[in-house]
Structure formats: C-alpha cells, structure tokens
C-alpha cells in the first residue's frame, strides 16, 4: 500500500493558520496512538466476553469477512484519500482500528497475558527507537522502499502459502525474524515520510489532515505487525 503525494492535486482551498512541522508530526502520532487504543480496547473486550470464540464457532466465515473489510478500507484510503473528506478519512481509520481489534483478540487466546504485555512493551520500545531514527536522521531512507516492499510481498505470499501447506510452519521462526526486520525498517521509513508530506502540503490544511491520517494508518500497521511478529517469536503460548 502506497500513497504518493506528488501524484495528487494540491488545490485545496485557501491557506489558514500555519501548522508547524512539530504540530503536524505530533498530530500524526496521536492518531496512531488513538487507533492502537481502539484496537486493543476491542481486542480485550472480545476476549473478556468470549465474543471471538462465539463468532468463530457460530460463524467461522466472520474472520475472513473482517479481513476482507480491513483490506478494502486500507486500499480505499490509499487510492482515494485525495478525493474523500477529512471526516471520511477519520471514520475509515477508526473503523479499521476497531475491526482489526477482533483479529488481535485471537492472540489473547493463544499466548499468556504476561507474555502479551511484555511483548507489547518491547514493541513500543523498538518502535520508538526506529521512529526517532527516522525523524531525526538526515539520511534519506527512500532507497529502502523497494527492499522493504519486497520483504512485505514475501511475508504476504508466505502467509497465504502456509494456509495450504502446513509444513511451511517449520520456517516460522525465520519468517518472524524477517517480519520484525521489515516492520522495524518500515517504522523508520514511514516516519521520515511524515516530513515529506508536511513540506509538500504546507498551507493546504485539508490535505495535510488527510495525509496525517494516512501516515497514522501506515505507522499503526507498522506497530501492529511488529507486535504480532514479536509475539510469535518471543511469546509463550497458553498450551
């Protein structure tokens, strides 16, 4: 999923109060944190009420439908964010975060709660370090984009193939390490792109707001995927 600001129309009305780069970056990370709070609130709620187990038994196809829904929303935001309203972009982001909470809730059944908490804190530390690097480094990370995307494609293909070829689970540890590396890299890469969006859309508040939400979605996905791969690698199962 990609969003190239240089392909979009910059004609978004009159200029308003100048927003500093620091304010813009803080707003982006606040949206990301809000998305994470929504996701984990839904996940804990589904786990405590056993709604996840109920739906998986009564309607096993629900998980697939929710996965398709999140993919549709993510690609819709990537493809049409320049045309949708700010309110629509916010609604899609929050809906995506809530629906994805159901997927995250399944891991609460598979791993010990103490292990989940430990991995979450580890994820926050790793994410913060790489985000800080992406924000403060003077080195352009644009060249890493194709490498990271290739790694992402590998992870997606492996995930699909593992559904049909259970024997591939023997390589899960190695794949988890690749996943951790890919999303650590994406954390720094996507954080640096926040600066690019800010400078390109400075003076165009509506487009800046939508670009901020899109960046928040990218960082949100980086955090959640990093959390999942770290949990698979370090987490202690309930069995």
């Amino acid at each position: 999923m990609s969003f190239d600001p240089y392909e979009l129309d910059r004609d978004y009305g009159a200029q308003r109060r100048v927003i500093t780069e620091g304010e813009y970056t803080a707003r982006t990370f606040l949206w990301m944190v809000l998305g994470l709070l929504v996701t984990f609130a839904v996940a804990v709620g589904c786990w405590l009420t056993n709604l996840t187990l109920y739906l998986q038994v009564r309607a096993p196809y629900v998980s697939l439908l929710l996965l398709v829904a999140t993919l549709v929303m993510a690609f819709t935001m990537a493809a049409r964010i320049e045309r949708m309203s700010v309110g629509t972009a916010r609604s899609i982001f929050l809906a995506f975060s809530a629906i994805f909470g159901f997927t995250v809730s399944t891991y609460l059944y598979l791993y010990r709660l103490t292990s989940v908490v430990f991995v979450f804190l580890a994820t926050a530390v790793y994410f913060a370090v790489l985000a800080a690097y992406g924000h403060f480094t003077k080195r352009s990370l644009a060249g890493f984009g194709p490498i990271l995307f290739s790694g992402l494609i590998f992870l997606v293909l492996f995930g699909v193939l593992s559904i049909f070829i259970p024997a591939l689970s023997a390589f899960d540890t190695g794949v988890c390490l690749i996943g951790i590396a890919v999303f650590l890299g994406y954390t720094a890469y996507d954080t640096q792109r926040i600066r690019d969006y800010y400078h390109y859309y400075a003076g165009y508040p509506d487009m800046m707001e939508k670009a901020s939400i899109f960046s928040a979605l990218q960082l949100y996905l980086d955090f959640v995927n990093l959390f999942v791969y770290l949990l698979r690698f370090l987490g202690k199962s309930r069995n």
Side-chain angles (χ1 to χ4, degrees), residues 35-207:
L36 291 174
L37 289 175
V38 170
T39 293
F40 286 103
V42 170
V44 172
C46 290
W47 175 59
L48 291 176
T49 60
N50 279 326
L51 178 61
T52 304
L53 289 180
Y54 177 82
L55 290 177
Q56 287 180 339
V57 173
R58 297 286 184 175
Y61 54 84
V62 168
S63 296
L64 179 60
L65 291 177
L66 293 178
L67 175 61
V68 171
T70 54
L71 289 174
V72 169
M73 285 189 286
F75 282 107
T76 297
M77 184 174 284
R80 300 186 59 81
I81 192 167
E82 74 276 12
R83 299 178 183 88
M84 66 178 61
S85 67
V86 173
T88 300
R90 290 172 177 169
S91 298
I92 291 177
F93 175 72
L94 293 175
F96 182 99
S97 302
I99 292 175
F100 206 75
F102 177 83
T103 301
V104 173
S105 69
T106 60
Y107 290 95
L108 297 177
Y109 292 94
L110 299 174
Y111 297 92
R112 299 176 187 175
L113 185 59
T114 53
S115 185
V116 172
V117 172
F118 170 77
V119 171
F120 179 84
L121 294 175
T123 302
V125 172
Y126 291 141
F127 182 92
V129 170
L130 269 296
Y133 174 77
H135 179 73
F136 291 108
T137 185
K138 301 301 182 181
R139 177 184 179 184
S140 174
L141 303 178
F144 290 96
I147 299 173
L148 294 172
F149 185 71
S150 297
L152 180 61
I153 293 298
F154 167 79
L155 293 172
V156 172
L157 291 177
F158 183 89
V160 172
L161 289 174
S162 63
I163 297 175
F164 302 99
I165 309 175
L168 290 177
S169 61
F171 302 97
D172 190 64
T173 300
V175 171
C176 286
L177 289 173
I178 294 174
I180 292 168
V182 166
F183 288 105
L184 284 174
Y186 261 123
T187 298
Y189 176 81
D190 289 333
T191 300
Q192 188 173 84
R193 282 167 63 87
I194 294 174
R195 185 191 311 155
D196 297 334
Y197 293 150
Y198 171 79
H199 289 296
Y200 190 77
Y201 290 116
Y204 299 86
D206 287 347
M207 195 59 234

